[in-house]
């Protein structure tokens, strides 16, 4: 039963707005972390989990994928404030029992926010919602797996979809994709489709690998570091330590972002004297407040200015030996960047020519440059072209395969990179499928499957009969909220392998199963061979163990590998060539299979048990070689493109609060931005408010426009904030209803969460037929097919 005080739901009338902070972390972060942990899990569980998180032999933080050092000592506290909140969320002693589900019918739960749902606690037993019933009820594990088997056998593999959250461990992900391919489908959408798919789409054809090319140690040797479209103070706080240390070693840091985030200004390390009693460490030497979508223009300008400098002083800027020996397309690139339209560049970026030129001088002087980026770059129609332009600038000066240099896409969720390595991808390579088939004696399908956006489209076509979600919260994370929710409700069976209730559980299929699983921090010891551990891959390709030690809140929870194995056995039957039970009973068996299927994982079981795990091969970083189709790195040439809002509109980007991680809300305090007790806000530059005839704290409805189609989200509060001119920001996922499903990045198909053209109309309070009386924040007002 719940032993903690109930959580009140969000009341947007309680919204408070104060001054934004000018530094991140510090003693306040420590106090908040301890307070949240103790409130959720008590003193003992909090201390035990925090002392082991991100330590060798401990548990990998269930938050971000920022790496730990593999060469030096680790700090006593290798976690950040938001990592501590993630631990508290998972190690909570609040529980959601079958009796809880009985007391909360679906119609009640639909009117609750994600904040309220997530704070109810850990799910203790499997439950089912059957057709015609109004609430979930207890079901046995064997009956649950039988229900899944009945539904999958009654349809065809191409009508089954297997979604994956980034937090899934390597062994689980490998088994999960093996199950899907054994069934006969590559319908394997994942959260990477929604975030860094653009990174992989840009990197693979240009440098031959879809991952970053730097190590954590490279930050110690860099002369110049760019942080582009990223808010490390909230989304990857431990990165601030690496940036602060890099500056102490002499590096310059340039922040490029539409919002002046506290973590880009200063960092108060609570484990240092200056972070406790001083002003903290400066992070950004320079801050370019760029317009949303202007990064392509910026890096094209950098390329132009670097080549101009090379013309003035030949051999001082371009690494000619590297370019001639290792790249292709340089002459076409040089020709394309010989001239520049400065008027359009300034319009696209919102920056002056002088501002851009001064940063280009830093590039020209640097002999070792790292360029980091995150979702501020990857979620626009021209994202892939932007990232290729970043690669052009790195190639120009030979910033691959040398200390302190390279490309650094900063992944969000812990193990989102590892899941892709394990084969969670709707477009698998022939090499991967052939290796799987040879190892297991199956025949994997070759046709590409659905990504996340294509899954929405399949919902609309009634082309999905079974939707299985390994963690995550698909309906809340996806674009075009009304479409995905209506689509989910038409699916015959939805299966959610989850730790806590979320929105996707209440916009369910005609039959819906919720299967409770162990979390990262939980002890996994119900195996013939004793306790088991799992492995993850961080943002910099280091594979290491993760093992929880806390007692699970219920004896009815199953580990994710066990759930996958029992699903597969139930669906595929006893005659299937894969020995699912052996893998579920001993995860070493899974790792042995992986070692024979995936390059770089040879001798997996021994190497992962090493003190620091092991680093996967990365040819651009390790040997300065590039595994593209031509065996060289590739310069790219694309025309200038940027976002331009129609008259009366602003360019809206989504963002996270400091009190959330993806779709999980830890609390209601976006402390660094000075916003608390509410989430339905839009941050707008005061000059834009005046120009639009609006005022700070006006209550408005937000309308987005895309190719003649409109989406609407009601009842948002405007907040005057120093954003880039012409731009605005609202929280993810409340603003997802405004993202048309066809607004995507070309090539990667990533939703355009940073590319909405919006206008505001006064909120009158008149009832809207597409909303219920409480005007739920996640329902758009556009007309869609009925559920």
């Amino acid at each position: 039963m719940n032993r903690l005080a109930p959580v009140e739901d969000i009341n947007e009338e309680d919204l408070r707005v104060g001054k934004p902070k000018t530094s991140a972390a510090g003693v306040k972060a420590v106090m908040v972390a301890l307070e949240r942990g103790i409130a959720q899990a008590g003193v003992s569980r909090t201390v035990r989990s925090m002392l082991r998180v991100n330590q060798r032999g401990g548990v990998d933080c269930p938050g971000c994928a920022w790496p730990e050092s593999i060469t030096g000592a680790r700090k006593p506290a290798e976690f950040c404030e938001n990592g501590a909140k993630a631990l508290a969320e998972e190690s909570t002693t609040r529980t959601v029992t079958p009796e809880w589900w009985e007391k909360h019918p679906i119609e009640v739960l639909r009117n609750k926010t994600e904040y309220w749902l997530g704070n109810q606690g850990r799910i203790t037993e499997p439950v089912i919602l059957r057709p015609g019933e109004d609430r979930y009820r207890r079901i046995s594990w064997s009956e649950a797996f039988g229900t899944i088997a009945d539904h999958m056998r009654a349809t065809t593999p191409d009508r089954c979809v297997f979604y994956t959250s980034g937090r899934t461990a390597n062994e689980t992900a490998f088994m999960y994709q093996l199950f899907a391919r054994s069934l006969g489908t590559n319908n394997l959408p994942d959260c990477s489709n929604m975030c860094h798919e653009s990174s992989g789409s840009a990197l693979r054809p240009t440098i031959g690998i879809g991952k970053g090319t730097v190590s954590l140690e490279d930050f110690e040797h860099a002369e110049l570091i760019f942080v582009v479209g990223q808010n490390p103070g909230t989304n990857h706080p431990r990165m601030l330590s690496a940036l602060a240390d890099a500056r102490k070693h002499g590096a310059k840091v340039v922040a490029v972002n539409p919002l002046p985030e506290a973590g880009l200004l200063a960092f108060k390390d609570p484990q240092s004297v200056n972070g406790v009693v001083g002003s903290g460490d400066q992070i950004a030497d320079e801050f370019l407040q760029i317009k949303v979508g202007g990064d392509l223009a910026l890096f094209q300008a950098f390329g132009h200015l670097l080549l101009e400098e090379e013309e003035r002083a030949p051999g001082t800027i371009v690494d000619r030996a590297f370019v001639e020996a290792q790249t292709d397309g340089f002459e076409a690139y040089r020709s394309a960047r010989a001239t520049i339209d400065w008027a359009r560049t300034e319009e696209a970026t919102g920056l002056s020519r002088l501002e851009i030129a001064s940063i280009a001088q830093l590039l020209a002087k640097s002999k070792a440059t790292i360029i980091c980026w995150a979702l501020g770059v990857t979620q626009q129609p021209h994202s892939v072209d932007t990232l290729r332009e970043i690669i052009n600038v790195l190639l120009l000066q030979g910033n691959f395969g040398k200390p302190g240099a390279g490309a650094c896409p900063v992944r969000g969720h812990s193990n989102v990179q590892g899941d892709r390595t394990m084969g969670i991808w709707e477009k698998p390579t022939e090499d991967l499928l052939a290796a799987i088939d040879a190892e297991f004696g199956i025949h994997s399908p070759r046709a590409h499957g659905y990504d996340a956006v294509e899954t929405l489209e399949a919902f609309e076509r009634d082309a999905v009969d079974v939707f299985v979600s390994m963690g995550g919260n698909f309906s809340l994370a996806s674009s075009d909220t009304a479409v995905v929710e209506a689509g989910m409700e038409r699916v015959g069976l939805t299966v959610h392998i989850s730790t806590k209730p979320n929105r996707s559980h209440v916009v369910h299929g005609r039959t819906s199963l919720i299967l409770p699983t162990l979390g990262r921090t939980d002890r996994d010891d119900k195996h013939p061979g004793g306790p088991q551990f799992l492995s993850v891959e961080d943002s910099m390709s280091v594979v290491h163990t993760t093992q929880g030690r806390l007692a699970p809140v219920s004896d009815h929870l199953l580990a994710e590998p066990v759930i996958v194995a029992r699903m597969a056995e139930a669906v595929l039957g006893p005659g299937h060539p894969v020995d699912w039970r052996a893998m579920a009973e001993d995860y070493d068996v899974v790792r042995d299979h992986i070692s024979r299927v995936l390059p770089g994982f040879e001798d997996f079981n021994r190497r992962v048990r090493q003190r620091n795990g092991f680093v996967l091969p990365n040819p651009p970083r390790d040997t300065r070689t590039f595994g593209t189709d031509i065996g060289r790195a590739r310069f790219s040439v694309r025309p200038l493109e940027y976002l331009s809002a129609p008259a009366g509109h602003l360019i809206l980007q989504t963002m996270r609060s400091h009190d959330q991680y993806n779709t999980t809300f830890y609390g209601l305090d976006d402390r660094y931005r000075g916003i608390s007790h509410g989430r339905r806000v839009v941050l707008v530059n005061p000059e834009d408010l005046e120009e639009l005839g609006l005022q700070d704290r006006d209550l408005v409805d937000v309308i987005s426009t895309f190719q003649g189609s409109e989406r609407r989200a009601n009842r948002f509060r405007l907040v005057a904030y120093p954003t880039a001119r012409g731009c605005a920001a609202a929280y993810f996922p409340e603003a997802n209803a405004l993202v048309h499903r066809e607004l995507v990045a070309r090539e990667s198909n990533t939703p355009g969460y940073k590319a909405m053209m919006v206008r505001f109309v006064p909120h009158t309070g008149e009832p809207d037929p597409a909303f219920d009386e409480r005007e739920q924040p996640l329902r758009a007002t556009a007309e869609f097919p009925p559920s």
Side-chain angles (χ1 to χ4, degrees):
M1 64 184 293
N2 290 330
R3 294 183 288 169
L4 303 173
V7 174
E8 295 295 326
D9 211 341
I10 303 173
N11 181 355
E12 294 291 342
E13 298 303 319
D14 292 338
L15 177 70
R16 301 175 194 172
V17 180
K19 291 183 179 180
K21 304 297 183 185
T22 57
S23 64
V27 175
K28 176 68 173 179
V30 176
M31 300 307 295
V32 171
L34 289 173
E35 175 190 326
R36 296 290 179 83
I38 293 170
Q40 288 276 5
V43 175
S44 176
R45 284 172 72 89
T46 297
V47 172
R48 280 186 290 152
S49 61
M50 286 185 176
L51 289 178
R52 288 182 50 78
V53 69
N54 294 330
Q55 300 293 343
R56 295 177 176 93
V59 61
D60 192 66
C61 178
C64 81
W66 190 255
E68 296 78 49
S69 173
I70 60 172
T71 59
R74 297 188 182 178
K75 296 178 180 179
E78 276 288 352
F79 58 87
C80 64
E81 175 188 345
N82 277 358
K85 292 174 184 174
L87 290 170
E89 281 282 311
E90 186 168 278
S91 57
T92 183
T93 55
R94 288 191 175 107
T95 54
V96 173
T97 64
E99 291 73 25
W100 184 93
W101 294 106
E102 281 286 342
K103 293 177 182 177
H104 293 88
I106 287 297
E107 286 310 310
V108 170
L109 297 179
R110 282 176 183 265
N111 290 331
K112 299 295 185 180
T113 68
E114 186 65 21
Y115 170 68
W116 186 90
L117 288 170
N119 271 285
Q120 297 309 296
R122 293 285 299 272
I123 304 168
T124 62
E125 296 184 45
V127 291
I128 186 170
L129 181 67
R130 295 182 173 89
E133 296 187 343
D134 67 346
R135 67 199 70 203
Y136 283 96
R137 290 186 168 85
R138 178 189 279 115
I139 187 175
S140 69
W141 278 106
S142 59
E143 188 180 358
F145 293 126
T147 300
I148 296 170
D150 290 343
H151 279 264
M152 288 191 179
R153 289 172 178 169
T155 187
T156 55
D158 60 296
R159 297 180 64 86
C160 299
V161 175
F162 296 83
Y163 175 70
T164 316
S165 158
R167 202 163 68 180
T168 305
N170 287 330
E171 293 78 4
T172 307
F174 185 82
M175 293 174 66
Y176 194 59
Q177 62 84 30
L178 179 62
F179 173 35
R181 290 175 174 131
S182 295
L183 182 67
T185 183
N186 285 313
N187 290 339
L188 285 159
D190 69 340
C191 60
S192 184
N193 294 152
M194 304 179 197
C195 57
H196 268 288
E197 197 68 50
S198 295
S199 297
S201 297
L203 296 175
R204 282 186 293 271
T206 54
I207 63 171
I209 190 170
K211 304 178 181 182
T213 65
V214 299
S215 67
L216 184 60
E217 290 67 34
D218 279 317
F219 281 74
E220 299 174 7
H221 304 285
E223 295 182 16
L224 180 63
I225 302 170
F226 279 82
V227 181
V228 188
Q230 189 182 351
N231 177 17
T234 287
N235 300 330
H236 327 90
R238 289 188 301 129
M239 182 182 181
L240 297 178
S241 295
L243 294 173
D245 290 344
R247 290 192 76 253
K248 291 172 184 175
H249 285 93
K252 297 282 188 183
V253 176
V254 177
V256 183
N257 206 59
L259 294 170
E261 304 286 15
L264 298 174
L265 303 177
F267 168 54
K268 291 186 175 183
D269 185 348
Q271 299 185 78
S272 72
V273 174
N274 192 34
V276 175
V277 299
S279 58
D281 296 310
Q282 179 182 346
I283 295 299
D285 296 274
E286 302 285 348
F287 172 46
L288 293 181
Q289 189 168 20
I290 196 167
K291 287 177 65 175
V292 176
D295 307 277
L296 174 60
L298 177 65
F299 281 90
Q300 286 183 347
F302 285 157
H304 166 76
L305 292 168
L306 290 174
L307 289 167
E308 257 192 355
E309 193 70 21
E310 173 72 10
E311 288 293 318
R312 283 192 287 269
T316 62
I317 305 299
V318 176
D319 186 339
R320 291 182 176 272
F322 170 79
V323 168
E324 291 173 5
Q326 302 284 18
T327 74
D328 180 73
F330 173 68
E331 290 304 324
Y333 172 73
R334 179 165 63 178
S335 176
R337 297 291 157 259
T339 60
I340 188 171
D341 186 332
W342 276 110
R344 292 187 69 208
T345 298
E346 290 181 335
E347 179 187 354
T349 62
L351 304 169
S352 70
R353 179 174 180 174
L354 181 61
E355 287 178 290
I356 296 171
S358 68
I359 303 303
Q361 282 299 309
L362 295 179
L363 265 170
K365 293 174 183 175
S366 173
K367 302 302 180 186
T369 299
I370 295 173
I371 301 180
C372 308
W373 68 85
L375 307 193
V377 179
T378 64
Q379 295 178 332
Q380 296 155 6
H382 54 288
S383 287
V384 175
D385 287 347
T386 299
L387 292 166
R388 287 176 179 166
E389 202 66 48
I390 288 174
I391 297 301
N392 287 341
V393 171
L394 289 170
L395 291 174
L396 200 60
Q397 296 182 281
N399 280 307
F400 288 96
K402 64 182 183 183
C408 183
V410 181
R411 308 285 177 173
H413 220 155
S414 170
N415 212 46
V416 64
Q417 183 163 302
D419 287 351
R420 182 57 55 89
T421 301
M422 289 296 113
I424 300 291
W425 196 22
E426 74 282 356
K427 302 180 186 70
T429 65
E430 176 58 31
D431 287 347
L432 170 66
L433 297 180
I436 291 171
D437 291 353
E439 174 70 11
F440 293 101
I442 65 172
H443 182 72
S444 301
R446 264 51 181 179
H448 288 174
Y450 298 142
D451 65 18
V453 171
E454 289 165 344
T455 297
L456 268 66
E457 295 165 350
F459 282 160
E460 280 197 286
R461 301 193 311 270
D462 289 326
V464 180
D465 290 327
V466 179
F467 177 83
V468 184
S469 182
M470 177 61 71
N473 190 351
F474 187 75
S475 71
L476 207 62
S478 297
S479 58
D480 225 341
T481 308
V483 171
V484 67
E485 292 195 350
M488 291 264 288
E489 292 174 335
R490 292 198 298 274
V491 173
L493 173 69
T494 50
V495 181
H496 298 281
I497 301 165
S498 305
T499 57
K500 305 179 83 172
N502 65 48
R503 178 71 183 177
S504 296
H505 299 160
V506 299
V507 286
H508 50 79
R510 292 190 295 274
T511 299
S512 180
L513 283 166
I514 303 175
L515 308 181
T517 185
L518 296 176
R520 283 270 179 93
T521 58
D522 292 330
R523 188 170 60 237
D524 183 6
D525 56 1
K526 293 182 179 179
H527 300 268
Q532 299 290 307
F533 69 86
L534 294 163
S535 68
V536 294
E537 177 187 348
D538 65 32
S539 263
M540 295 176 186
S541 303
V542 180
V543 179
H544 59 85
T545 64
T546 179
Q547 186 171 23
R549 299 296 173 90
L550 297 181
V553 296
S554 167
D555 291 334
H556 298 283
L557 307 183
L558 294 181
E560 287 178 345
V562 176
I563 293 174
V564 175
R566 291 189 62 180
M567 274 199 300
E569 285 184 328
V571 174
L572 301 172
H576 194 263
V578 177
D579 190 342
W580 301 101
R581 181 162 301 184
M583 289 190 282
E585 291 180 349
D586 184 351
Y587 301 164
D588 277 357
V589 175
V590 189
R591 288 185 282 271
D592 281 340
H593 285 304
I594 293 170
S595 71
R596 294 188 289 267
V597 170
L598 299 178
F601 284 86
E602 297 79 10
D603 200 12
F604 189 2
N605 270 308
R606 181 189 65 80
R607 293 163 68 208
V608 79
R609 286 176 166 87
Q610 295 173 152
R611 186 166 180 260
N612 294 309
F614 62 95
V615 184
L616 291 173
N618 191 304
R621 179 189 64 202
D622 301 338
T623 59
R624 241 188 185 190
T625 55
F626 302 91
T628 64
D629 57 338
I630 56 174
R632 289 170 170 249
R634 182 182 275 114
F635 281 92
S636 308
V637 175
R638 296 298 299 168
L640 174 61
E641 182 179 348
Y642 55 97
L643 301 175
S644 182
H649 290 65
L650 299 177
I651 304 167
L652 180 71
Q653 64 166 342
T654 60
M655 62 182 182
R656 293 176 185 159
S657 160
H658 187 61
D659 238 356
Q660 77 176 97
Y661 198 82
N662 294 341
T663 59
T664 300
F665 303 158
Y666 305 135
L668 300 175
D669 186 8
D670 195 358
R671 189 170 73 250
Y672 297 155
R673 298 192 184 105
I675 298 169
S676 62
H677 296 272
R679 292 186 52 85
R680 298 185 67 73
V681 297
V682 183
L683 308 187
V684 183
N685 188 288
E687 295 180 39
D688 287 322
L689 285 177
E690 184 177 0
E691 191 173 289
L692 293 169
L694 298 166
Q695 294 183 356
D696 183 33
R697 313 302 161 80
D698 275 356
L699 193 61
V700 300
D701 299 338
V702 187
I703 300 172
S704 67
T705 302
F706 177 75
Q707 296 183 353
S709 177
E710 291 188 344
R711 298 289 185 271
R712 183 178 185 130
N714 287 357
R715 202 176 173 80
F716 277 74
R717 188 76 63 177
L718 298 178
V719 173
Y721 200 85
T723 63
R725 282 297 311 273
C727 304
Y731 292 128
F732 169 103
E734 282 82 356
N736 289 10
L738 298 165
V739 186
H740 194 288
R741 64 197 173 285
E742 295 177 15
L743 174 56
V744 296
R746 296 187 301 273
E747 296 186 53
S748 69
N749 216 31
T750 297
Y753 298 117
K754 308 292 190 290
M756 289 171 275
M757 304 300 159
V758 301
R759 70 181 190 273
F760 309 121
V761 297
H763 178 74
T764 64
E766 292 297 318
D768 189 313
F771 279 74
D772 62 24
E773 291 183 355
R774 294 189 54 189
E775 293 180 316
Q776 288 305 303
L778 298 176
R779 294 192 181 275
T781 61
E783 292 293 330
F784 299 107
S787 59

